[in-house]
Every structure is written in structure tokens, then in C-alpha cells.
């Protein structure tokens, strides 16, 4: 992930943000350095990352982040950074509603990376504009479910018999879900689609260049261009970018030990990361680096730290010189 301006805004998921700086020198390794944001910008574009299959856990996070954004007066616009094949219908509907509520208060622009299809497309449809890359994939509007058999099934038990199943009723429910999906997409983008409802419901997918032509997307552009467009729409002028992750952490963490607990550092950018308390786990404490403080670093601080290391300071001394942590 790459943005032009570093985020300085705390989020509900980010009580502490960290930078881990490592330098390999022949025969020596510098101690890691971390920081936490301390102030909110006046004008902010919040970038909400929606990546991976759409699940209840992802919907929980998206709802929480967007609710926090709507309550934050410093955020003037939102960009949804999407890379998802879709997923659970209920979770997709929840995300759709959260995006819809947010777009009623401020500009929301969707920026599709590799893919935003099926439930992912559903979730982003209320955005004011959809930006795609030429090779992005969007579409698949419809329910992913088994097709009916050629021959009609035997009538199953009625609804009150919970121990039984009714295949006819199950198919009817699937059709209701599919119709709800297509109806919502026609309500959101019916004026943009260059095809009738029946063709939209065929669940085809399209590359970004074709998606702009047929109305599934609005612009060819990168994430940074989507961010700039969102800021321009809200007349933000100079602005900061606040990137917010959603979904479960599946990356391998870097562990740090404080006086009271072990924390996990999840890097989400070159030089950026997030600190979270570790859950129940087995670790060899002596092998986990100990830290005293967690503070914010500026770029000039890091430059001074590099100079200090060049003068022969140890890793601990370097950390203290730049207000960081001692291992």
C-alpha cells in the first residue's frame, strides 16, 4: 500500500501506530523504533481498506470504521480501497448499508485494486464514483448459489417442520436474495449501466476498461487519483490521508515486550504498522525484545538516529537519542 501523505489520525482500531525501522550493518543490528500518532489533522481523507472475502468479521470492522468516520469532524471524505471477490450475502448487505449511510454525509469514492466483485461490488455501489485500474475486475452481480435442477423436486415438509428441508422453498429464498441484489444495484447505478436489468443479472465480470464503458465503473485511475478526487469534491485543499485497515490480522507479527504484556506489531506498509496486545500464546520471554516507551517519530528524527548510529552509538543509545525505545 502506498499513499502520498502519511496518516496521523488515530482510529478506533489504532490506539497506537508504530514504525519499525531496521538497518543491517556488518556485525550489528539496530534496535527497532516505533511511534504513535499524537494529533488529528484539520482536513482528512480516510482510506478504508476492504480486502479478502466478505465475512461477518470484515463487515464488523467496516461498519465500525465508517461509524467512527461519520462521527469524526476532521474527516471530510472517504475512499474505499477494495480488493475482494465477494462473500456472504448478509455481510455484504451490512457493508452496503454502512457505505450508503456514509455517502449521505460526505463524498465516498471506491478505488478497486485487483477485484471487487459480487458482494464486494454490492458493498461499494453507493459510492459517488467507482475508480478502477485497467486490469481490475468488477461485476458478478447476482447470487452465487446452485442452479435449479431440470426436473422439479418432490415437495418437502412445510416451514413448521424445522427438522426437514424444503428444496422449493430454498430456491425461492435464493431467488429473493438474487432479486434484492440486482434491485439494489439498479437503484444505485441504473442510470450508469449501459445494459438492461436482465443483462446485469447475468452476473458477468468485466475488466476495468470495459467496466468504464458499460457503466460498472466511472473512471480509470489509481488509489492516489481517487484520494485526490475525493478531496477535491469536498474542497479540502491541503489534506492528510488516514488509512484504516479492516478484517482479521493474518500476518506474522513482530513481538515486543513491555513491563506488563507482550504486544504484536503488524506491519501494513513499508515502515508502518500497528501494535496490539497478544492474546493467549506461548513465547520465550527472554527472546522477545523489551521496550520502555512508544513514541512518535518524525522523518528528521529518524535521520538523526541514522547519524547517531554512524558515529558508533549502540542500538539502545540510538533509540534513546531519537526518543524511541530501548531494547
Amino acid at each position: 500500500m502506498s499513499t502520498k501523505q502519511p496518516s496521523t489520525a488515530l482510529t478506533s482500531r489504532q490506539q497506537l501506530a508504530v514504525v519499525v525501522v531496521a538497518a543491517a550493518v556488518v556485525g550489528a543490528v539496530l534496535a527497532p523504533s516505533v511511534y504513535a500518532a499524537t494529533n488529528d489533522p484539520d482536513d482528512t481523507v480516510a482510506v478504508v481498506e476492504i480486502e479478502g472475502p466478505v465475512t461477518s468479521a470484515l463487515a464488523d470492522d467496516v461498519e465500525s470504521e465508517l461509524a467512527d468516520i461519520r462521527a469524526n469532524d476532521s474527516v471530510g471524505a472517504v475512499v474505499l480501497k477494495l480488493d475482494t471477490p465477494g462473500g456472504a450475502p448478509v455481510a455484504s448487505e451490512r457493508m452496503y448499508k454502512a457505505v450508503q449511510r456514509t455517502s449521505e454525509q460526505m463524498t465516498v469514492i471506491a478505488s478497486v485494486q485487483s477485484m471487487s466483485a459480487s458482494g464486494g461490488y454490492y458493498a461499494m455501489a453507493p459510492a459517488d464514483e467507482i475508480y478502477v485500474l485497467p486490469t481490475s475486475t468488477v461485476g458478478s452481480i447476482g447470487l452465487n448459489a446452485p442452479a435449479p435442477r431440470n426436473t422439479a423436486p418432490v415437495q418437502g415438509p412445510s416451514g413448521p417442520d424445522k427438522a426437514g428441508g424444503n428444496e422449493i422453498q430454498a430456491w425461492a429464498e435464493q431467488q429473493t436474495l438474487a432479486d434484492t441484489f440486482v434491485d439494489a444495484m439498479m437503484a444505485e447505478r441504473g442510470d450508469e449501466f449501459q445494459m438492461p436489468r436482465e443483462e446485469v443479472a447475468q452476473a458477468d465480470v468485466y475488466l476495468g476498461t470495459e467496466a468504464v464503458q458499460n457503466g460498472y465503473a466511472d473512471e480509470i485511475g489509481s488509489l492516489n487519483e481517487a484520494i485526490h478526487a475525493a478531496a477535491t469534491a469536498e474542497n479540502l485543499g491541503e489534506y492528510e490521508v488516514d488509512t484504516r485497515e479492516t478484517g482479521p490480522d493474518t500476518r506474522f507479527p513482530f513481538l515486543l515486550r513491555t513491563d506488563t504484556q507482550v504486544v504484536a506489531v503488524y506491519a501494513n506498509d513499508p515502515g508502518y504498522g500497528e501494535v496490539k496486545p497478544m492474546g493467549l500464546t506461548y513465547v520465550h520471554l527472554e527472546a522477545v525484545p523489551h521496550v520502555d516507551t512508544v513514541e512518535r517519530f518524525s522523518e528528521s528524527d529518524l535521520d538523526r538516529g541514522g547519524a547517531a548510529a554512524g558515529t558508533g552509538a549502540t542500538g539502545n543509545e540510538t533509540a534513546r537519542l531519537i526518543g524511541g525505545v530501548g531494547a
Side-chain angles (χ1 to χ4, degrees):
M1 172 176 53
S2 173
T3 54
K4 292 184 177 179
Q5 299 84 12
S7 167
T8 59
L10 291 175
T11 72
S12 60
R13 281 173 47 88
Q14 293 176 315
Q15 299 299 315
L16 292 172
V18 300
V19 167
V20 178
V21 180
V25 184
V26 176
V29 178
L30 297 182
S33 302
V34 295
Y35 77 83
T38 57
N39 64 301
D40 292 328
D42 293 331
D43 290 314
T44 302
V45 176
V47 176
V48 179
E49 296 181 334
I50 302 175
E51 299 178 346
V54 176
T55 63
S56 294
L58 180 63
D60 287 344
D61 277 1
V62 171
E63 285 179 325
S64 176
E65 292 294 350
L66 290 179
D68 183 73
I69 285 168
R70 292 193 299 271
N72 189 338
D73 292 337
S74 72
V75 178
V78 174
V79 171
L80 308 174
K81 181 187 176 187
L82 296 118
D83 194 353
T84 172
V90 173
S92 302
E93 174 74 14
R94 289 170 54 196
M95 290 165 53
Y96 167 82
K97 291 295 187 183
V99 173
Q100 189 178 58
R101 286 193 293 270
T102 306
S103 67
E104 293 171 355
Q105 293 186 210
M106 65 189 74
T107 297
V108 177
I109 292 182
S111 176
V112 180
Q113 304 308 297
S114 177
M115 172 183 291
S116 186
S118 191
Y121 192 92
Y122 193 169
M124 74 176 179
D128 296 281
E129 288 189 308
I130 297 175
Y131 274 59
V132 293
L133 300 171
T135 54
S136 300
T137 302
V138 297
S140 189
I141 294 176
L143 185 67
N144 184 8
R149 298 181 306 187
N150 292 330
T151 58
V154 176
Q155 178 70 46
S158 61
D161 184 1
K162 294 183 180 180
N166 186 328
E167 190 172 358
I168 294 176
Q169 181 178 336
W171 285 352
E173 291 173 351
Q174 289 179 6
Q175 189 59 54
T176 298
L177 288 173
D179 289 341
T180 300
F181 188 173
V182 177
D183 288 345
M185 297 306 94
M186 296 305 296
E188 295 292 347
R189 297 193 62 85
D191 293 338
E192 284 78 22
F193 288 143
Q194 301 299 308
M195 59 186 69
R197 184 187 190 281
E198 293 73 21
E199 191 172 347
V200 171
Q202 291 179 2
D204 291 329
V205 295
Y206 305 94
L207 290 176
T209 49
E210 188 177 4
V212 171
Q213 296 173 0
N214 63 23
Y216 275 70
D218 299 295
E219 299 284 347
I220 295 290
S222 66
L223 173 63
N224 283 336
E225 289 171 316
I227 292 171
H228 179 70
T232 300
E234 293 289 345
N235 298 313
L236 297 187
E238 294 186 5
Y239 58 89
E240 298 289 341
V241 176
D242 174 13
T243 300
R244 302 179 177 219
E245 295 179 346
T246 61
D249 288 307
T250 58
R251 298 152 296 173
F252 188 78
F254 179 80
L255 302 183
L256 296 175
R257 176 166 51 96
T258 68
D259 290 337
T260 59
Q261 64 183 334
V262 174
V263 295
V265 180
Y266 293 89
N268 65 347
D269 253 353
Y272 286 81
E274 184 175 9
V275 173
K276 294 181 178 180
M278 278 294 290
L280 180 63
T281 187
Y282 291 96
V283 297
H284 179 52
L285 286 180
E286 296 305 318
V288 179
H290 180 272
V291 299
D292 296 320
T293 59
V294 179
E295 298 182 12
R296 176 178 172 77
F297 287 131
S298 67
E299 185 175 353
S300 59
D301 288 333
L302 296 177
D303 290 341
R304 289 199 302 273
T311 61
T314 66
N316 285 347
E317 289 170 341
T318 300
R320 284 193 292 270
L321 286 170
I322 59 177
V325 299

